[in-house]
Amino acid sequence: MITECPWLVGLAFRTPCGRLVRHFCVVDGAADPDRAREAALERADDPRERAARGGLRRDDGCVEIRRVLRDPLGTWRLSAPVPRTG
């Protein structure tokens, strides 16, 4: 099943000095949060994306996934974070 609402996936990266930096991407067409996470991780591993981040290393334990929802009046909002299943 393909969802009508996209997902916002936040991935964390560590700077050389250990500071946590978040990068977010919108994933459209994922059937569930696990597939949205996989798509975001795949996108983050793209060589051009890695170069754009300056080679920051990913912190695997820090992933945030939310639904991007639109109400009947057209207002966009984010759901609460989706609990990690795996």
Side-chain angles (χ1 to χ4, degrees), residues 11 13 25 39-47 49-50 53 58:
L11 302 174
F13 297 87
C25 66
L41 290 172
E42 190 174 300
R43 192 179 299 173
D45 285 339
D46 180 85
E49 286 289 325
R50 285 196 316 259
R53 286 191 310 274
R58 193 173 70 238

Side-chain angles (χ1 to χ4, degrees), residues 9-25 37 40-46 49-64:
V9 181
L11 302 174
F13 297 87
R14 293 273 175 194
T15 65
C17 66
R19 186 173 151 202
L20 192 65
V21 178
R22 288 223 185 239
H23 290 246
F24 291 87
C25 66
R37 180 180 181 275
L41 290 172
E42 190 174 300
R43 192 179 299 173
D45 285 339
D46 180 85
E49 286 289 325
R50 285 196 316 259
R53 286 191 310 274
L56 297 180
R57 63 183 169 85
R58 193 173 70 238
D59 185 325
D60 290 328
C62 206
V63 176
E64 180 180 342

